Amino acid sequence: MKKHILLAATALFASSSFAEVTRHALPNNSTFPISRGVEVTPDTTLIFHSGMVPGPVNPEAKRGSREYFGDTQTQALNVFKRLEASLSDLGVDFSDVIKMQVFLVGDPTMEGKMDFAGFMKAYSKYFGTKEQPNKPARSAFQIAGLAGGPNMLVEIEMVIAKPK
């Protein structure tokens, strides 16, 4: 009897001491750099990272202007750099991101349509690469605006699975 209790306790300890993340690929061999879904074990520590917006790329420009923030691609790169530093402070990195929500404001130079291609140029430098192949489940939305002003075009929030 004691042997069975010990084996059950060992199995319970082993299963709860390590989180497992399963990323489900998109159907039809799609190469688009997101996962269809991401599954984590119940013992996974999740970090819900608040949305992050870009900082100035040209602090000398008029505060809040397009020159101050840059275009969608520039802003997305800026946000990813800021997120990279924040994730590092939390002891994780982009390979641990399991869910991402992207909020894009319509670009005035594109007749008010979001610059999804510009965002993807930045995103593709961090996700689904040879160096970092892990892809999160992701949604992208065009929104009316962000609290940072009319030329702020990108906000990104993430859910991260922290390894034990």
Side-chain angles (χ1 to χ4, degrees):
M1 179 71 164
K2 287 183 183 180
K3 182 178 178 181
H4 293 296
I5 293 171
L6 180 59
L7 287 174
T10 302
L12 179 62
F13 176 74
S15 68
S16 67
S17 65
F18 132 173
E20 186 175 321
V21 175
T22 304
R23 295 168 193 273
H24 300 281
L26 292 172
N28 303 318
N29 297 316
S30 174
T31 58
F32 196 72
I34 65 172
S35 291
R36 173 175 44 145
V38 180
E39 192 176 338
V40 296
T41 53
D43 56 335
T44 303
T45 298
L46 299 178
I47 300 171
F48 295 85
H49 198 291
S50 293
M52 188 162 283
V53 295
V57 292
N58 180 1
E60 303 299 317
K62 180 181 177 196
R63 185 173 176 82
S65 68
R66 185 170 181 87
E67 293 76 25
Y68 185 79
F69 288 119
D71 62 10
T72 298
Q73 180 180 351
T74 301
Q75 289 188 36
L77 285 168
N78 185 293
V79 172
F80 283 124
K81 284 287 185 200
R82 295 180 80 200
L83 282 164
E84 188 171 41
S86 181
L87 295 182
S88 178
D89 285 347
L90 297 170
V92 293
D93 60 37
F94 286 128
S95 69
D96 301 310
V97 176
I98 59 170
K99 173 70 173 133
M100 180 186 301
Q101 290 186 293
V102 179
F103 304 96
L104 300 172
V105 176
D107 187 330
T109 68
M110 296 179 64
E111 300 178 0
K113 296 179 181 148
M114 69 177 178
D115 182 5
F116 188 70
F119 166 76
M120 286 301 296
K121 286 178 185 173
Y123 173 85
S124 297
K125 293 179 184 292
Y126 293 92
F127 296 91
T129 67
K130 186 177 180 180
E131 299 79 28
Q132 200 296 95
N134 293 345
K135 299 175 275 191
R138 192 193 76 203
S139 302
F141 308 91
Q142 179 168 337
I143 60 171
L146 292 166
N151 288 298
M152 187 176 282
L153 305 173
V154 179
E155 182 170 350
I156 301 170
E157 62 182 42
M158 299 177 166
V159 178
I160 301 107
K162 188 171 185 171
K164 301 268 177 177

